[in-house]
Amino acid sequence: QLQPSGGGLVQAGGSLRLACAASGRTFINMAWFRQTPGSEREFVAAVRRSGHTYYAESVKDRFIVSRDNAKNTVYLQMNNLKVEDTAYYYCAGGDGILSAIRGTSTYRYWGQGTLVTVSS
């Protein structure tokens, strides 16, 4: 089970931190995706158990993904938020290969979405 927390409303330029606690098992890959109504779920960031991180170009240099393996929790620090970052954010866990880390099909376990709204 993956339980996210930390969504909310923030002004453009502000920051938010999402967290997602996993229970029952651990994962090689933990990731964040986001989705807006009528759009496909898109990759945001991922972190391997080793600590290596991967980002979508749209969030690189603004978002930081990290994980605490002892707490089995993944975090997404979102800085300099933009209106276009508004979406439901989903955490995911899986054990897929590195080359597929950005694909939704790589992840078998998903948390419920948490809404992030960025106002202008």
Side-chain angles (χ1 to χ4, degrees):
Q1 183 177 3
L2 296 170
Q3 183 61 52
S5 60
L9 174 65
V10 64
Q11 285 192 327
S15 297
L16 274 178
R17 189 191 195 207
L18 305 181
C20 181
S23 60
R25 58 158 295 173
T26 61
F27 302 97
I28 294 175
N29 306 317
M30 298 188 80
W32 292 94
F33 288 76
R34 65 187 182 188
Q35 188 171 22
T36 55
S39 298
E40 293 187 354
R41 193 167 296 186
E42 67 172 6
F43 172 78
V44 175
V47 55
R48 302 268 281 180
R49 184 178 288 156
S50 62
H52 287 94
T53 57
Y54 307 86
Y55 296 94
E57 283 299 316
S58 60
V59 306
K60 197 175 181 180
D61 300 328
R62 298 189 297 122
F63 291 10
I64 301 171
V65 63
S66 62
R67 66 190 286 174
D68 184 330
N69 291 328
K71 295 182 178 180
N72 207 13
T73 299
V74 61
Y75 304 94
L76 186 68
Q77 176 67 43
M78 303 184 291
N79 302 317
N80 190 21
L81 281 159
K82 303 177 180 181
V83 172
E84 52 264 40
D85 294 318
T86 296
Y88 281 93
Y89 283 71
Y90 297 85
C91 57
D95 299 321
I97 58 176
L98 178 58
S99 61
I101 201 168
R102 291 176 170 81
T104 55
S105 61
T106 296
Y107 300 89
R108 184 176 178 185
Y109 298 89
W110 292 85
Q112 61 186 13
T114 184
L115 180 61
V116 171
T117 304
V118 184
S119 63
S120 58

